[in-house]
Amino acid sequence: NAGVTQTPKFQVLKTGQSMTLQCAQDMNHNSMYWYRQDPGMGLRLIYYSASEGTTDKGEVPNGYNVSRLNKREFSLRLESAAPSQTSVYFCASIGDFTGELFFGEGSRLTVL
Amino acid sequence: AQSVTQLGSHVSVSEGALVLLRCNYSSSVPPYLFWYVQYPNQGLQLLLKYTSAATLVKGINGFEAEFKKSETSFHLTKPSAHMSDAAEYFCAVSPTGANSKLTFGKGITLSVRP
């Protein structure tokens, strides 16, 4: 019963390096999301994908790109990492009729 | 537009005491409301949700929340706190509840004292 799976769980980058966070869900959900969580800020939406082949910006999209590879997978890319992108990143998918978000366990990213 | 306000960032209670975590929302349409819990080093998981079927909603682990339209509130309560309730709690609002973006509050950390 995997649900939402994110990789990697931990990553340390140097400023200017690039990386991709991977996310996959096995619940056949249409909509998927990337959030970042910072102390005292709650969760802020970076990008979302309402269905396969579509993506839209959320509240804090600058510095990120996403790809909805297929219905299962939704990746988040940092092209040139900055210290301000140090955060915990969560992928989630939403039940089509329940509106309930199912979260991955998070990816902790540190940019030096 | 929709928003959620969770006043304060930290609540501390004694084991066995009442837990009350406050949430106020604003929404241009009748909202769907959620409480999520996050245990240390884990993702968020759903505690309970309000979808207009009943104003008093019961969730997992003995938590419940009451939707009060006149007060635009959806406060989370538990009659008797347990040490295992120590976590961060997030209130969230959605305009439609299905295939739409949730707006989260900033979260409240609950500590439980022995």
Side-chain angles (χ1 to χ4, degrees):
Chain A
N1 197 17
V4 179
T5 305
Q6 292 180 234
T7 56
K9 286 187 168 46
F10 300 95
Q11 184 73 49
V12 178
L13 293 176
K14 295 181 180 178
T15 296
Q17 288 185 316
S18 62
M19 76 158 299
T20 299
L21 299 176
Q22 307 286 355
C23 175
Q25 52 93 9
D26 61 2
M27 295 171 283
N28 202 38
H29 291 160
N30 283 308
S31 299
M32 297 184 71
Y33 303 82
W34 276 105
Y35 288 91
R36 61 178 288 173
Q37 183 180 24
D38 303 288
M41 305 289 286
L43 276 78
R44 293 181 291 170
L45 183 65
I46 305 171
Y47 270 94
Y48 69 101
S49 170
S51 61
E52 183 180 352
T54 68
T55 61
D56 285 288
K57 296 178 180 179
E59 183 184 355
V60 288
N62 291 345
Y64 305 94
N65 286 301
V66 290
S67 296
R68 184 72 183 269
L69 304 171
N70 47 55
K71 192 171 186 179
R72 289 188 66 247
E73 297 172 290
F74 187 40
S75 62
L76 177 72
R77 183 162 178 84
L78 286 70
E79 291 291 353
S80 179
S84 61
Q85 293 178 305
T86 293
S87 187
V88 181
Y89 293 85
F90 287 98
C91 178
S93 65
I94 195 165
D96 291 348
F97 302 103
T98 65
E100 177 182 350
L101 274 173
F102 294 84
F103 285 86
E105 293 189 343
S107 299
R108 186 174 296 274
L109 175 65
T110 301
V111 183
L112 302 175
Chain B
Q2 57 198 31
S3 66
V4 172
T5 301
Q6 294 184 255
L7 289 177
S9 60
H10 185 237
V11 170
S12 180
V13 301
S14 298
E15 192 172 20
L18 171 71
V19 175
L20 170 61
L21 303 180
R22 299 178 186 275
C23 173
N24 290 88
Y25 70 90
S26 68
S27 177
S28 57
V29 297
Y32 288 73
L33 294 158
F34 304 79
W35 275 99
Y36 282 84
V37 60
Q38 183 181 31
Y39 299 104
N41 300 314
Q42 295 186 25
L44 282 72
Q45 56 183 281
L46 182 68
L47 262 182
L48 50 81
K49 61 181 178 182
Y50 166 76
T51 58
S52 78
T55 57
L56 183 62
V57 181
K58 294 186 185 299
I60 61 172
N61 301 335
F63 284 94
E64 62 182 36
E66 186 173 8
F67 173 69
K68 292 187 176 181
K69 184 178 179 180
S70 61
E71 299 177 8
T72 61
S73 69
F74 190 57
H75 302 330
L76 182 71
T77 60
K78 182 175 181 178
S80 177
H82 192 273
M83 297 296 290
S84 61
D85 295 327
E88 190 162 14
Y89 292 81
F90 293 90
C91 184
V93 62
S94 166
T96 68
N99 271 342
S100 68
K101 299 169 287 181
L102 270 68
T103 299
F104 285 88
K106 296 190 185 307
I108 298 175
T109 299
L110 175 67
S111 300
V112 182
R113 304 185 300 272

